């Protein structure tokens, strides 16, 4: 979920009287929240790593660059930041996924001329029925307030009417949605411009997945389009539309993505794929990733994700933290309490995904976005670009 930065931490200071002269204690100006963490550590600049007494909430003093490592189960992430990026990083572990709930939604789209089937969208999921009346028996729902979106389709599978019902879903609940003839007016179109010229030469055809998102964050498929672009389906009651523009080199090594959201439904998108990213990764237990030398005013973060067996060690490295450096080495945390085993064993197959993120947002705002659990919750007016490169080796 999107997390809101609290701003500057208030400086809380108790005067420390020394025998020579009064002098205030340094202010602890970085405050970390890591709810659910199994282990955590931090260091300031290139100093020694420290393990806090409470790994779920701690503070320390920094004047510029700092790093915080948090382990959540088998996954460990290091955030390499500066005070200018954020002084209040929320690095909480993902909350437990609620157990799915079952509920029923009675539907009727028979009043819509030309309708032959119906689709129900709820949260991140959907169901389809080849009839115009009936009941959707949802088994993988989520509890709580949400939008249920019912769509009527014609014989070609084209949406021709739709409506939204906001409900507080409970296990075993029963809800009902009926579309009227006038609900055809709720269906509108957006478009995305031809972006074929942005696909690197020799790469397979690229594509765009278009969605429209309800006020409560239910995503409805708007269509899959090729690189020549074209129209997609949206609804008047949507909060915004969302475009995933994707390209890959065909080998699974390099990939490009432009994620954009509009500020209203029925939007016109223009794709903006970044240039391919080519990182160099050393074949070390804790590899060094080189090639972090991109010069772009929208560069915000490099992400390095190292995976082996069932574990991972990742780093999110801000451009400010690098301060002109063009490489980053994943840290060895194994000597710290709570981080034993956070390293591949000799002979393990290791995969390293290196990525670069661009955004018109500030680094602080970008920091919030990378903790987003679902793209359906991204705000309107967002534009983020991504370029990834994958390497693999056998741990020495």
């Amino acid at each position: 979920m999107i997390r809101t930065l609290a701003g500057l931490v208030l400086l809380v200071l108790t005067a420390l009287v020394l025998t020579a002269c009064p002098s205030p204690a340094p202010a602890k100006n970085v405050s970390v929240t890591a709810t659910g963490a199994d282990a955590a550590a931090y260091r300031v600049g290139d100093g020694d790593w420290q393990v806090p007494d409470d790994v779920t909430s701690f503070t320390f003093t920094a004047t510029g660059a700092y790093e915080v490592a948090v382990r959540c189960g088998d996954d460990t992430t290091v955030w390499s930041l500066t005070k200018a990026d954020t002084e209040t990083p929320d690095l909480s572990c993902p909350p437990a996924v609620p157990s799915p709930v079952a509920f029923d939604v009675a539907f009727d789209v028979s009043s819509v001329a030309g309708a032959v089937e119906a689709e129900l969208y709820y949260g991140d999921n959907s169901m389809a029925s080849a009839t115009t009346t009936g009941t959707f028996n949802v088994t993988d729902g989520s509890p709580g307030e949400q939008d249920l979106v019912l769509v009527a389709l014609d014989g070609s599978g084209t949406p021709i009417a739709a409506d939204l019902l906001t409900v507080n879903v409970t296990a075993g609940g029963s809800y009902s949605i009926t579309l009227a003839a006038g609900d055809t007016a709720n269906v509108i179109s957006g478009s995305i411009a031809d972006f074929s010229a942005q696909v690197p030469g020799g790469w397979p055809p690229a594509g765009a997945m278009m969605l429209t998102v309800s006020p409560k964050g239910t995503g409805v498929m708007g269509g899959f389009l090729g690189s020549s672009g074209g129209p997609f389906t949206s609804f008047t009651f949507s909060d915004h539309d969302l475009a995933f523009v994707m390209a890959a080199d065909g080998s699974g090594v390099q990939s490009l993505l432009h994620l954009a959201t509009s500020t209203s439904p029925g939007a016109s998108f223009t794709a903006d794929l970044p240039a391919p990213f080519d990182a160099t990764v050393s074949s070390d237990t804790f590899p060094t990733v080189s090639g972090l030398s991109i010069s772009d005013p929208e560069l915000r973060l490099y992400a390095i994700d190292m995976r082996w067996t069932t574990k991972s060690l990742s780093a999110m490295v801000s451009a400010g933290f690098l301060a002109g450096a063009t490489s980053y080495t994943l840290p060895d945390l194994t000597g710290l309490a709570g981080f034993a085993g956070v390293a591949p064993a000799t002979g393990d197959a290791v995969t390293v995904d290196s990525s670069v993120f661009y955004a018109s947002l500030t680094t602080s705002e970008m920091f919030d976005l990378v903790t987003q659990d679902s793209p359906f919750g991204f705000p309107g007016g967002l534009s983020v670009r991504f370029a990834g490169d994958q390497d693999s080796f056998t741990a020495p």
Side-chain angles (χ1 to χ4, degrees), residues 47-132:
D48 294 334
W49 285 94
Q50 308 288 325
V51 175
D53 293 333
D54 180 357
V55 300
T56 65
S57 180
F58 52 95
T59 60
F60 57 87
T61 302
T63 58
Y66 65 88
E67 293 184 277
V68 179
V70 174
R71 183 175 70 79
C72 301
D74 288 335
D75 302 319
T76 298
T77 302
V78 179
W79 291 85
S80 302
L81 305 165
T82 70
K83 284 185 60 190
D85 295 322
T86 179
E87 294 183 344
T88 56
D90 185 344
L91 310 181
S92 298
C93 298
V97 178
S99 297
V101 298
F103 61 92
D104 295 334
V105 181
F107 68 92
D108 186 346
V109 301
S110 60
S111 295
V112 179
V116 298
E117 58 183 306
E119 281 186 314
L120 175 71
Y121 289 86
Y122 52 101
D124 296 347
N125 301 310
S126 65
M127 299 182 71
S129 173
T131 61
T132 58

Side-chain angles (χ1 to χ4, degrees), residues 265-325:
S268 297
F269 287 94
T270 300
D272 185 16
L273 289 172
F277 175 48
D278 187 10
T280 300
V281 179
S282 67
S283 301
D284 299 314
T285 303
F286 298 97
T288 296
V289 179
S290 304
L292 312 183
S293 54
I294 293 173
S295 178
D296 188 299
E298 291 193 344
L299 171 65
R300 293 296 177 260
L301 293 167
Y302 291 98
I304 302 166
D305 182 29
M306 170 185 174
R307 304 185 305 280
W308 68 97
T309 59
T310 62
K311 297 182 179 181
S312 72
L313 174 61
S314 305
M316 301 297 297
V317 187
S318 76
F321 177 89
L322 287 171

Side-chain angles (χ1 to χ4, degrees), residues 2-396:
I2 292 291
R3 298 180 176 93
T4 303
L5 293 177
L8 296 177
V9 177
L10 295 177
L11 302 182
V12 179
L13 180 63
T14 301
L16 175 65
V17 179
L18 302 178
T19 54
C21 61
S23 178
K28 292 184 176 181
N29 50 23
V30 176
S31 178
V32 179
T33 300
T35 304
D38 297 297
Y42 68 90
R43 69 173 173 178
V44 177
D46 58 359
D48 294 334
W49 285 94
Q50 308 288 325
V51 175
D53 293 333
D54 180 357
V55 300
T56 65
S57 180
F58 52 95
T59 60
F60 57 87
T61 302
T63 58
Y66 65 88
E67 293 184 277
V68 179
V70 174
R71 183 175 70 79
C72 301
D74 288 335
D75 302 319
T76 298
T77 302
V78 179
W79 291 85
S80 302
L81 305 165
T82 70
K83 284 185 60 190
D85 295 322
T86 179
E87 294 183 344
T88 56
D90 185 344
L91 310 181
S92 298
C93 298
V97 178
S99 297
V101 298
F103 61 92
D104 295 334
V105 181
F107 68 92
D108 186 346
V109 301
S110 60
S111 295
V112 179
V116 298
E117 58 183 306
E119 281 186 314
L120 175 71
Y121 289 86
Y122 52 101
D124 296 347
N125 301 310
S126 65
M127 299 182 71
S129 173
T131 61
T132 58
T133 61
T135 300
F136 288 110
N137 304 121
V138 176
T139 60
D140 57 351
S142 298
E145 190 176 46
Q146 59 195 272
D147 293 327
L148 305 178
V149 178
L150 181 64
V151 182
L153 300 95
D154 64 14
S156 66
T158 301
I160 56 175
D163 202 3
L164 170 152
L165 176 67
T166 301
V167 297
N168 186 18
V169 169
T170 58
S174 295
Y175 313 98
S176 178
I177 309 177
T178 297
L179 296 189
D183 288 330
T184 55
N186 290 334
V187 181
I188 58 176
S189 292
S191 66
I192 184 167
D194 187 323
F195 58 93
S196 55
Q198 299 180 27
V199 182
W203 284 32
M209 181 174 70
M210 313 301 296
L211 301 104
T212 188
V213 184
S214 77
K216 296 293 183 181
T218 294
V220 180
M221 184 59 62
F224 290 93
L225 303 174
S227 59
S228 58
F232 66 91
T233 300
S234 183
F235 305 125
T236 57
F237 53 74
S238 295
D239 182 75
H240 61 268
D241 298 326
L242 186 153
F244 283 103
V245 183
M246 299 159 284
D249 65 358
S251 67
V253 173
Q254 291 186 315
S255 58
L256 309 174
L257 169 69
H258 179 210
L259 185 154
T261 62
S262 63
T263 56
S264 60
S268 297
F269 287 94
T270 300
D272 185 16
L273 289 172
F277 175 48
D278 187 10
T280 300
V281 179
S282 67
S283 301
D284 299 314
T285 303
F286 298 97
T288 296
V289 179
S290 304
L292 312 183
S293 54
I294 293 173
S295 178
D296 188 299
E298 291 193 344
L299 171 65
R300 293 296 177 260
L301 293 167
Y302 291 98
I304 302 166
D305 182 29
M306 170 185 174
R307 304 185 305 280
W308 68 97
T309 59
T310 62
K311 297 182 179 181
S312 72
L313 174 61
S314 305
M316 301 297 297
V317 187
S318 76
F321 177 89
L322 287 171
T326 59
S327 65
Y328 178 90
T329 301
L330 288 166
D332 181 357
L333 305 170
T334 56
L336 303 175
F339 291 96
V342 183
T346 299
D348 279 346
V350 179
T351 299
V352 179
D353 287 309
S354 304
S355 310
V356 56
F357 290 86
Y358 308 86
S360 57
L361 307 173
T362 66
T363 305
S364 177
E365 292 168 331
M366 186 66 192
F367 175 86
D368 287 340
L369 282 178
V370 296
T371 63
Q372 171 66 266
D373 293 333
S374 168
F376 298 156
F378 283 151
L382 170 70
S383 177
V384 177
R385 295 176 293 147
F386 160 97
D389 184 30
Q390 187 176 94
D391 293 87
S392 58
F393 63 90
T394 299

